[in-house]
Amino acid sequence: RVSKIWGSRERIVVGLTGGPEGRTLIRRAARLAEKGAGGEVLAVYISRTDGLTSASPKELAVQRTLVEDLGGTFHHVVGEDIPAALLDFARGVNATQIVLGSSRRKPWQYIFGPGVGATVARESGPDLDVHIVTHGEVAKGRGLPVARGARLGRSRIVAGWLVGILGPIVLALLLNAVDLGLANDMLLFLALTVAAALLGGLSPALASAAFGSLLLNYYYTPPLHRLTVADPRNIVAIVIFVAVAVSVASVVDLAARRTHQAARLRAESEILSFLAGSVLRGETSVDELLERVRETFGMDAAALLERTSEVDPWTCAGSVGPGAAAERPEDADVEVLIGDHMALALSGRVLPASDRRVLAAFAAQAVVALDRQRLQQEAEQARALAEGNRIRTALLAAVSHDLRTPLAGIKASVTSLRSEDVEWSEEDRAELLASIEEGADRLDHLVGNLLDMSRLQTGTVTPLFRTVDLDEVVPMALGGVPEDSVELDIPETLPMVDVDAGLLERTVANLVENAVKYSPFATPVLVSASAIADRVEVRIVDRGPGVPDDAKERIFEPFQRYGDAPRGAGVGLGLAVARGFAEAMGGTLNAEDTPGGGLTMVLTLRAVEGLHGPVRLAEAERQTT
C-alpha cells in the first residue's frame, strides 16, 4: 500500500466541494505551482457512491474549465469518507501539497466532529503540506455530511431496520401474553438489537436499542404504561441494557467494516501479486494488461495514451474494450497520469479514490509492458538485421570463391580453345568442352540454390499441389549424380503423396547430391521410401563421416557446410533449400545417424488416403481428366 510520498516535482491537489469557493482555491494553487517552477495542479471533486451531494453541476463545469485553462487537470473520484478519499488520491498521484478551503459549516455544527480540513491536516503526515485557504463563503453554512455505515448492501440494511423497529413491537406483543420477568425481557430485547446490528450495522442497532428501552420502560417496569421508573434498580437495568446494546452494535459494525477492509486488502494484494509475477515472468503484453485493468475495475474500455512532449497531441499506444478509446486523458471517466508523457485512461464509471492506489500500480506496469514490448520488437529487428548481414557476408564469400571457381575454369577452357598457338587434338578439345560443361552445370546449380533461398526468405514460394507417385519424381532427381552412385528402393505399393512435384524433385536432388558428396568412394547412397500411418517417409542414407548431434540442426542453416570440407563444391545452401521446400509442402526434413556410421536424411510427406497399390495410376489418370 502506498503511504508515503517519494521525491518528484511539486504536485498540488486542490480539494473541491462543488461550492463557489473552488475558484479561489484553484487560483491559489496555480500561484503555488508557479512558485514551484514547473509544478502541476490536480483539482479533485469527491462524491459519494449513492449520489447524495449538494454540488452544483454547473459550478463544477466552470471550475473544471478554469483549472484546465490554468494548465491543470480535473479529477472526479468516489469516496465515502471524504478526508480519507482525498488523502488516498493525493498519495496515489504522488502529490506534495494539498489546498483546502476554510470550512463553510456554522460554529454549532462542529459538535458533530472536526471538519474535512482539520482531519486532513491531522492525517496527512510529514510528507504532505496542507494549506487552508480563507474565502468569502467561510461559516455561511453547508449541509452536514451524512454518516455512512459499513458497505453491507441495501437488502441487509433494509432487513436490519425491519428487525430493529418492527422486531421490538412484535416481541412486546408476545411478552404481554407471557410473564417472563424483567431480566428475561431485557435479554430478548438485547437479542433483537444484536440481530439488527448483524444485519444492518450500527444505525438500525442504535434505533433498536432506543426503541426497545422505551418499550421496556412502558410495559415492564413499574409504574406500567408510563414512561417513568419507580424502582432505581430498574433504572440501572435499563441503562445497562442500552449500554450493552450500543456496545454490541458498535463492535458488530466495526467487525463488518474490518471484514470489508480485509476483503479489499486481500483483493488488492492478489492483484499486486499478479502484477509482480507478470513483471518477473515477462508474460503480460500491453493489451493483456489493459484487459485485466478493464475486468478488475469493471470498466467499459481502457487505453494507454502517450505523447512526445507537452505540446504534442496524445496518441493511443494500446486499447481494449468496445468503442473508440479516449483521445485525451481528460475525456475519460478516470485518468492516471504516468510522468509527463504517458496516461492510463478508463471509460465506464468514476472510481473511488481508494481504487487509485491499485490503479497506479497497473499504470506503472502498463508502461513497463509497453517498454518491454517495444524492446522486443527492436530486438527482433536487430536479429533480422544481423541475420541479413550474416547472409550478405556469406553470399559475398560465395561469390568471391564458390562462384568464381567454376567461372575461372570455364574462362580457362574457352581461352585455351580459342588459342591459335596450340593445335589441340580431338581428345583435348573434348576434355576442355567437358570442363566447360561441368563448370556451367555447377554455376547453374549454385545460382539455382541462391534463387531458391531468396524465394524462401521473401516468402514467395507458392507450392502447386497435386497427387503424384514417388516413382515418377525421385528418379528424375538423380540426373545430377553418377548412375552407379545411388541405389533406389521405392516400393510400388506406396501411397501417393500430395506435393508440388517440382519442389519435391529439387528437394530430393539437393539431398542426394549432398549425400553423394560425402559418401565414401564406390559406396552408393541408398534412397528408400516407406509408409507410416498417413505419412510417407523418404530416407537418403549415406556412409560418410556423419554429423554430431549438436550440429544436426545447424547444417540446415543457410551458408553452413559442416567442417567446411575442401572438396565441397557448394555454398552451403542445399540442405537449407531442401528443408524450406519440404516445409512449404507441409512436410518435414530431419537428420539422423545411420546405423554403423553415416548420416540419414528423413523427408516426411503427406500421403493421399486410399490411393495406393495397383489402383494408383488409374486414380491419377482420372484426376487429370
Side-chain angles (χ1 to χ4, degrees):
R1 175 175 176 175
V2 178
S3 59
K4 293 185 178 181
I5 303 299
W6 60 95
S8 67
R9 69 176 183 174
E10 291 292 329
R11 279 188 173 176
I12 304 171
V13 170
V14 184
L16 302 179
T17 65
E21 78 280 0
R23 306 180 198 181
T24 302
L25 303 183
I26 292 171
R27 293 188 178 95
R28 179 63 61 86
R31 288 197 296 270
L32 289 174
E34 290 178 359
K35 295 178 181 178
E40 182 179 357
V41 176
L42 299 92
V44 56
Y45 170 70
I46 300 173
S47 63
R48 293 189 172 91
T49 54
D50 57 7
L52 297 178
T53 175
S54 59
S56 167
K58 182 178 179 181
E59 181 63 32
L60 283 177
V62 171
Q63 293 176 15
R64 177 169 189 158
T65 302
L66 175 62
V67 71
E68 290 176 352
D69 289 343
L70 294 175
T73 56
F74 182 90
H75 304 265
H76 180 191
V77 302
V78 178
E80 299 299 330
D81 187 340
I82 302 299
L86 182 60
L87 288 172
D88 284 340
F89 176 83
R91 291 175 178 133
V93 299
N94 195 27
T96 57
Q97 301 181 55
I98 297 179
V99 175
L100 298 172
S102 297
S103 178
R104 290 191 286 128
R105 295 195 295 175
K106 295 183 180 296
W108 64 268
Q109 293 177 327
Y110 282 97
I111 63 174
F112 296 97
V116 172
T119 305
V120 170
R122 185 181 67 248
E123 302 292 337
S124 61
D127 300 313
L128 270 172
D129 296 333
V130 179
H131 303 268
I132 305 296
V133 178
T134 186
H135 50 81
E137 302 296 321
V138 174
K140 288 188 176 180
R142 58 169 299 176
L144 289 175
V146 181
R148 295 293 180 266
R151 299 178 183 180
L152 300 174
R154 179 175 297 179
S155 60
R156 287 189 59 180
I157 293 176
V158 171
W161 279 104
L162 291 176
V163 172
I165 300 300
L166 298 181
I169 297 176
V170 174
L171 181 59
L173 294 176
L174 293 175
L175 293 178
N176 284 336
V178 181
D179 185 10
L180 299 178
L182 180 60
N184 291 327
D185 294 342
M186 293 180 64
L187 290 176
L188 291 174
F189 276 100
L190 181 61
L192 281 178
T193 301
V194 173
L198 290 173
L199 289 173
L202 182 62
S203 297
L206 294 178
S208 177
F211 193 37
S213 64
L214 291 176
L215 292 176
L216 283 170
N217 186 1
Y218 189 78
Y219 285 107
Y220 308 111
T221 57
L224 300 179
H225 306 298
R226 292 179 62 184
L227 294 178
T228 58
V229 180
D231 190 345
R233 291 176 298 178
N234 293 336
I235 296 177
V236 174
I238 292 177
V239 170
I240 293 175
F241 165 77
V242 174
V244 171
V246 171
S247 300
V248 171
S250 300
V251 170
V252 172
D253 182 74
L254 180 62
R257 289 177 180 272
R258 293 293 181 262
T259 300
H260 174 75
Q261 292 174 358
R264 179 178 181 84
L265 291 175
R266 182 174 64 252
E268 289 184 3
S269 65
E270 290 175 355
I271 294 171
L272 295 176
S273 175
F274 161 79
L275 288 178
S278 65
V279 171
L280 294 176
R281 294 188 301 269
E283 295 175 350
T284 307
S285 66
V286 174
D287 289 343
E288 291 173 347
L289 189 63
L290 292 177
E291 182 63 28
R292 183 62 182 261
V293 172
R294 191 177 72 87
E295 293 177 355
T296 300
F297 296 99
M299 307 301 287
D300 295 334
L304 185 63
L305 306 178
E306 64 176 342
R307 59 183 178 181
T308 55
S309 67
E310 295 184 358
V311 297
D312 291 329
W314 292 93
T315 59
C316 182
S319 63
V320 295
E327 296 181 357
R328 300 184 307 164
E330 51 267 28
D331 295 336
D333 294 315
V334 180
E335 72 280 4
V336 178
L337 299 179
I338 316 161
D340 296 331
H341 307 310
M342 300 287 291
L344 180 64
L346 305 179
S347 301
R349 64 188 180 93
V350 178
L351 288 180
S354 56
D355 286 346
R356 287 181 173 262
R357 295 194 304 270
V358 178
L359 189 59
F362 269 107
Q365 174 61 10
V367 175
V368 173
L370 180 62
D371 291 341
R372 183 171 61 242
Q373 183 174 300
R374 288 176 174 173
L375 287 175
Q376 289 175 348
Q377 293 174 353
E378 292 176 1
E380 290 293 335
Q381 294 175 357
R383 279 194 290 269
L385 290 175
E387 179 67 15
N389 289 334
R390 189 185 68 81
I391 291 177
R392 281 193 292 271
T393 302
L395 180 59
L396 289 175
V399 171
S400 64
H401 180 266
D402 296 280
L403 293 180
R404 292 182 65 180
T405 299
L407 280 176
I410 294 173
K411 176 68 174 177
S413 298
V414 171
T415 301
S416 299
L417 287 174
R418 295 188 61 184
S419 176
E420 298 178 355
D421 299 336
V422 181
E423 185 68 26
W424 302 101
S425 64
E426 291 298 326
E427 293 79 3
D428 293 335
R429 285 179 174 273
E431 184 176 351
L432 290 172
L433 289 174
S435 177
I436 293 173
E437 184 178 11
E438 180 184 357
D441 290 340
R442 289 176 59 188
L443 278 178
D444 180 68
H445 180 72
L446 293 173
V447 172
N449 276 339
L450 287 172
L451 293 176
D452 290 339
M453 196 69 238
S454 175
R455 291 168 58 201
L456 287 171
Q457 292 199 340
T458 56
T460 57
V461 176
T462 306
L464 181 60
F465 289 98
R466 68 183 185 90
T467 303
V468 300
D469 190 345
L470 288 178
D471 283 343
E472 300 175 359
V473 179
V474 173
M476 297 175 60
L478 308 181
V481 297
E483 295 182 1
D484 57 351
S485 62
V486 179
E487 180 182 341
L488 281 178
D489 182 15
I490 309 294
E492 295 183 356
T493 57
L494 281 178
M496 303 185 76
V497 292
D498 189 20
V499 295
D500 183 308
L503 297 184
L504 177 59
E505 180 182 343
R506 292 297 304 275
T507 300
V508 175
N510 282 355
L511 296 176
V512 170
E513 290 176 6
N514 184 77
V516 170
K517 184 193 310 179
Y518 289 97
S519 188
F521 179 73
T523 303
V525 171
L526 174 63
V527 179
S528 62
S530 60
I532 300 177
D534 60 343
R535 296 276 172 168
V536 173
E537 283 189 355
V538 180
R539 291 178 172 266
I540 296 89
V541 183
D542 69 59
R543 295 293 179 177
V547 175
D549 291 339
D550 59 353
K552 282 187 172 61
E553 284 299 315
R554 197 163 60 248
I555 61 176
F556 292 104
E557 296 178 4
F559 300 105
Q560 293 292 322
R561 289 182 297 182
Y562 176 70
D564 289 329
R567 61 177 178 149
V571 294
L573 285 176
L575 295 182
V577 170
R579 172 171 275 190
F581 283 170
E583 293 176 349
M585 293 184 293
T588 60
L589 177 61
N590 296 291
E592 297 179 357
D593 291 329
T594 301
L599 190 67
T600 298
M601 292 292 177
V602 182
L603 174 63
T604 306
L605 304 169
R606 291 196 303 261
V608 179
E609 184 179 357
L611 292 183
H612 56 83
V615 300
R616 289 180 300 156
L617 294 178
E619 290 290 343
E621 290 176 358
R622 282 199 296 270
Q623 289 182 6
T624 56
T625 58

